[in-house]
Amino acid sequence: MKNITAILKLGGSIITYKNKGRPGIKTAFVRKVAKELSQVLKNKSKIRLILLYGAGSFAHPLVYKYRLKNQPLKNSSFIHIGEVINSMRELGTQLARIFAKEGLQIIPLQTSSLIQKSGEKSFFKNFSALETTLLYQGIPLLGGDIAVGGSNKVNIISADEIAVLLSKHFKNSRIFFATDINGVYKNFPPLKKEKPLKFLNRATLKLLAGRERKKLAVQKYDVTGSMIGKLKNLLSLQNREVFIFNGQKPLLIKKALECEKMEGTTVLL
């Protein structure tokens, strides 16, 4: 890889205990990821890394509980919106501390202060904080959040959506989705012994993303659409490469960033 901006999204299902009904971070696992990233950056000096993280148990249950998604803004909404933003901020703080202890130059940024949504379109108000951080070999850290402003309804911004926005801005970029499954499957959920698809082009991606939600394995509290939401977000990209893989397996995050051959799905757009 040469002078590439690597956009790595750590899924909420692999960094938090997503199904326990309360916020909880997988500290030991995140520490292992931090060590892998530290090794990658030492060996691949020309990689510029942006880290994203999913909401997992820190925000999905709250958004579901308060039925916030796409609801009109009103006075009583803000106490719940604030609770979600605070919970995501807490997750980001915990992650940043672990990464920093492993020597990573992490700069935690608040998504709700950087992104707005107008209609169905999300956009960064400016990229200067990210560009400056990357210029000095820092690592921006952003997570899913709620965008306030530009609309009269509650807008959920997923980390998958952030990855796409960033890839559009940073031209020489590649997206890496570290998930809790081995890639994208033809069937959701996959059949017994079914292997993930190795490659997806735009046509195949459209077919998979167009499937009805009821046919997909979507977790109860996942308010951002799980895999179908991820695939739909990717359709707006042009001339980009996206890799979806199981980030829970030992050293797979390191191998993915170093472009080693391994199990997973490469999406060519």
Side-chain angles (χ1 to χ4, degrees):
M1 249 188 280
K2 186 177 180 181
N3 295 321
I4 191 168
T5 301
I7 302 165
L8 171 63
K9 187 252 179 157
L10 303 172
S13 59
I14 66 172
I15 60 172
T16 76
Y17 294 102
K18 199 168 181 179
N19 296 317
K20 281 193 172 182
R22 56 181 174 79
I25 190 170
K26 298 178 181 177
T27 304
F29 173 77
V30 175
R31 192 176 294 121
K32 288 181 182 179
V33 172
K35 291 180 185 295
E36 289 182 37
L37 295 178
S38 182
Q39 291 174 19
V40 170
L41 295 176
K42 285 178 182 177
N43 298 333
K44 300 280 187 177
S45 59
K46 292 187 178 179
I47 287 182
R48 305 193 311 169
L49 178 63
I50 300 175
L51 272 178
L52 307 176
Y53 55 93
S57 59
F58 280 74
H60 284 296
L62 291 175
V63 174
Y64 183 88
K65 175 182 176 181
Y66 299 129
R67 295 178 172 83
L68 288 174
K69 189 176 181 180
N70 293 325
Q71 290 302 304
L73 279 177
K74 51 188 177 181
N75 180 268
S76 59
S77 304
F78 282 91
I79 190 169
H80 301 316
I81 291 172
E83 188 176 347
V84 173
I85 292 175
N86 281 334
S87 189
M88 285 305 295
R89 188 175 293 174
E90 174 60 27
L91 173 56
T93 298
Q94 290 189 39
L95 292 172
R97 284 174 179 159
I98 295 171
F99 292 138
K101 283 182 179 179
E102 296 302 325
L104 297 173
Q105 301 183 82
I106 290 290
I107 300 297
L109 300 172
Q110 187 68 39
T111 300
S112 54
S113 298
L114 294 174
I115 296 181
Q116 282 191 351
K117 197 161 189 173
S118 180
E120 295 302 312
K121 186 177 181 181
S122 300
F123 59 93
F124 270 84
K125 290 181 278 188
N126 71 74
F127 285 92
S128 61
L130 289 104
E131 290 168 342
T132 301
T133 301
L134 291 171
L135 179 64
Y136 292 95
Q137 289 78 53
I139 304 171
L141 176 69
L142 301 97
D145 214 337
I146 293 181
V148 178
S151 171
N152 62 352
K153 65 180 182 178
V154 179
N155 291 306
I156 309 297
I157 306 295
S158 72
D160 295 341
E161 193 173 353
I162 298 169
V164 169
L165 293 175
L166 290 171
S167 187
K168 287 178 179 179
H169 180 77
F170 294 101
K171 301 305 179 186
N172 191 19
S173 61
R174 190 181 187 205
I175 298 175
F176 300 85
F177 286 125
T179 72
D180 61 349
I181 56 175
N182 294 332
V184 180
Y185 293 84
K186 183 178 179 181
N187 297 288
F188 290 87
L191 302 176
K192 188 177 181 181
K193 295 185 179 181
E194 182 180 358
K195 292 185 178 181
L197 300 167
K198 289 187 177 181
F199 295 97
L200 287 178
N201 58 23
R202 186 173 297 278
T204 312
L205 183 64
K206 282 182 178 179
L207 287 175
L208 290 175
R211 290 182 176 182
E212 292 183 21
R213 186 181 177 88
K214 65 183 180 181
K215 295 181 181 179
L216 301 176
V218 178
Q219 294 183 5
K220 178 181 178 182
Y221 294 124
D222 194 327
V223 297
T224 55
S226 194
M227 182 59 75
I228 192 170
K230 197 182 309 296
L231 298 180
K232 284 183 175 179
N233 276 316
L234 296 179
L235 286 170
S236 64
L237 288 174
Q238 298 284 343
N239 301 314
R240 290 291 184 275
E241 192 170 336
V242 180
F243 189 50
I244 302 170
F245 65 103
N246 191 334
Q248 298 176 121
K249 294 186 176 180
L251 296 178
L252 250 61
I253 289 176
K254 178 178 181 292
K255 290 179 180 179
L257 291 173
E258 292 178 341
C259 289
E260 293 187 23
K261 288 185 178 180
M262 46 185 259
E263 187 177 52
T265 302
T266 299
V267 184
L268 301 171
L269 295 158

